Amino acid sequence: MPGLLRGVARTAVVAGTATAVSNRVSRRQAGRWAAQSAPQSYEEPQAPPPAAAPVAAPAPAEDSMSDKIDQLKKLGDLKAQGILTDAEFEEQKRRLLA
């Protein structure tokens, strides 16, 4: 009987711990998602992001194109990381390709 009681108690502790951890992770993720989807109008106005460094004067066609591709990849990475918004990404892309 003591062995059965010990096994039941161990199972209850493990299940309780797993439930507590799962609930904490769920609450933390819900908080992050809520913060990301919160409309900007409820937040204080943020300072505009610093403008990207101006694109250097055009070099030979091959170097210029490879530089533009590299810069576009970097912009894409920044957008994927959430550092740039869609509007900021489009603006920088427009400036780069102009």
Side-chain angles (χ1 to χ4, degrees):
M1 186 76 160
L4 178 63
L5 186 57
R6 188 177 310 143
V8 170
R10 183 180 306 138
T11 301
V13 168
V14 169
T17 302
T19 302
V21 170
S22 175
N23 288 339
R24 182 170 184 259
V25 169
S26 295
R27 282 192 304 269
R28 186 173 37 185
Q29 286 178 341
R32 285 182 184 169
W33 292 335
Q36 288 177 353
S37 65
Q40 293 287 338
S41 62
Y42 293 120
E43 297 177 6
E44 293 182 22
Q46 298 177 352
V55 178
E62 293 179 0
D63 291 339
S64 177
M65 185 55 72
S66 64
D67 288 342
K68 286 182 180 181
I69 290 172
D70 290 337
Q71 289 178 347
L72 284 172
K73 287 179 182 178
K74 289 177 185 176
L75 286 174
D77 290 339
L78 291 174
K79 180 183 171 194
Q81 294 172 5
I83 296 172
L84 290 178
T85 64
D86 291 341
E88 292 169 334
F89 174 77
E90 291 300 323
E91 175 64 23
Q92 295 302 322
K93 184 173 78 170
R94 183 187 61 78
R95 287 182 183 175
L96 183 63
L97 297 176

